[in-house]
Each structure stands twice: as structure tokens, then as C-alpha cells.
Amino acid sequence: MMRGRFISFEGGEGMGKSTQARLLAKHLEEHGINAVLTREPGGTPGAEAIRELLLHPPGEGWEAEAEALLFAAARSDHVARLIEPAVQKGSWVICDRYLDSSRAYQGEAGKLGDAAVRQLHAIGSHGLLPDATIVLRASSDQVAQRLRERDGDETDAIGGRDDSYHLAVNAAFEAFAAEEPGRFHIVDGEGTVGEVHQRVLQAILPILPEQVG
Ligand code: TYD
């Protein structure tokens, strides 16, 4: 059985990742490819339970180290039980956030460092990387606007962090993409949902099977 592919969507808060991940999975299915849409933190019952602990922490919340370990633990379960078996069966896994979110949020904005986050990933998930990673980007004005508009009461423990944290996250994604241009594809997230979807398809055209491209 031919191995499938693994594609992650990354970016800061409110960039439309979930919508675009869903549209890509739907597009693949419509072209006869078995697509599995999933998300992080989460995707399996165990990882979804950890998600709840991360986004709505009991007590005082997590220190940076514990937070990174919980994300790595959730990812370990997700990779072992869902992502790797699906890709082995020939499916395409489309994941809303993955390792690069830990690198950007915990590693850079949370100041734990990239080496530590990668080490946890090596232990937890054998270092599995996506075949392609789409980073959705919006202009800094638009990001600032979205940050301003965010409702403080409805956001979660990580989404609710201050602007400087989120600006560091966005800068980190840009830096990762520049360092590893083979895997990363920066896609302009402005415009209509349909326009952005077309840009996503263009970005991954080289790895799409003939019937999809
Ligand atoms: P979610 O509601 O899925 O956010 P979004 O809609 O912005 O994708 O919540 C996930 C939150 O967890 C988000 O703030 C990013 C954060 N996160 C990390 O800090 N590290 C990680 O490794 C992952 C996967 C997510």
C-alpha cells in the first residue's frame, strides 16, 4: 500500500486555518483521495482530554515546561494512534496545527527554545514531520486588528496571552518558513475563503496527485 501524505496548517490566532484545512480535506475527498481531517492539540480521545487541560487549566495554569510536555504528550498519542496509521494506510492526513505550533508558542514565544521542543518531539513522536506545512499569513495590521477584537472572556488560556506573545508567535512562523523553504509554504490569508483555498492548492500543487491538481 502506498504511503499517504501528511499536511499541516499553521499560523497565529484567527487566520482561518481550520476553515482551510477542512476545505482541503473536502477537495481531496471529492477527487477520490481518502482524507483524514484532524487537529492539535487533540485528534484522539486521550489528546482531546489533554487539550481541555491545556486550554482550560485547573488551578493556576501550567509553567512553560509542563505546558510543552503536555502538548508533546498529546501529539505522541495523536501520531501513534491516528496520524501514522492513517498515512500508512494511504490516507492523506490534514492537520490543523502540529509541531510548529509548539516550536512557535512554547519554544519561541514561551522562551523554552527550539532545541528543547524538538527533543520532546523526538522522544514523543519519533520526530515525525509533515510532508508540507502551510503557514497562513495576514498583514500585521490585520493581525493587530484581530488581536484587538478578541473577546477577553471567551478566549482560552493560550489565545488570551498578550499581544507581544502573539506577535512573537507570528514572527516565529515566518522564521521557520525562511529556514526550511522545502517543507513550508507561506500562503496569503487575506481575501475570500475561496481565494485562499485556491492559493493553498497552488502551494501544494507539486505534491498533489494528478487527478487533484
Ligand atoms: P484552538 O482553539 O485550536 O486555536 P486556533 O483556532 O487559533 O487554532 O486552540 C489551540 C491553542 O493552542 C492555540 O492558542 C495555539 C495553542 N497551541 C500551542 O500553544 N502549542 C501547540 O503545540 C499547539 C498545537 C497549539
Side-chain angles (χ1 to χ4, degrees), residues 157-168:
I158 296 173
R161 287 178 185 163
D162 64 18
D163 287 6
S164 69
Y165 185 93
H166 291 287
L167 291 171

Side-chain angles (χ1 to χ4, degrees), residues 12-14 17-18 40-41 51 55 67 71 75 96-98 101-102 105-106 156 158-159:
E13 313 282 316
K17 286 177 304 301
S18 312
E40 289 208 347
R51 177 188 177 91
L55 300 187
E67 182 177 290
F71 275 112
R75 184 162 303 122
D96 182 356
R97 295 193 182 280
Y98 185 65
S101 279
S102 283
Y105 285 79
Q106 285 67 51
D156 57 63
I158 296 173

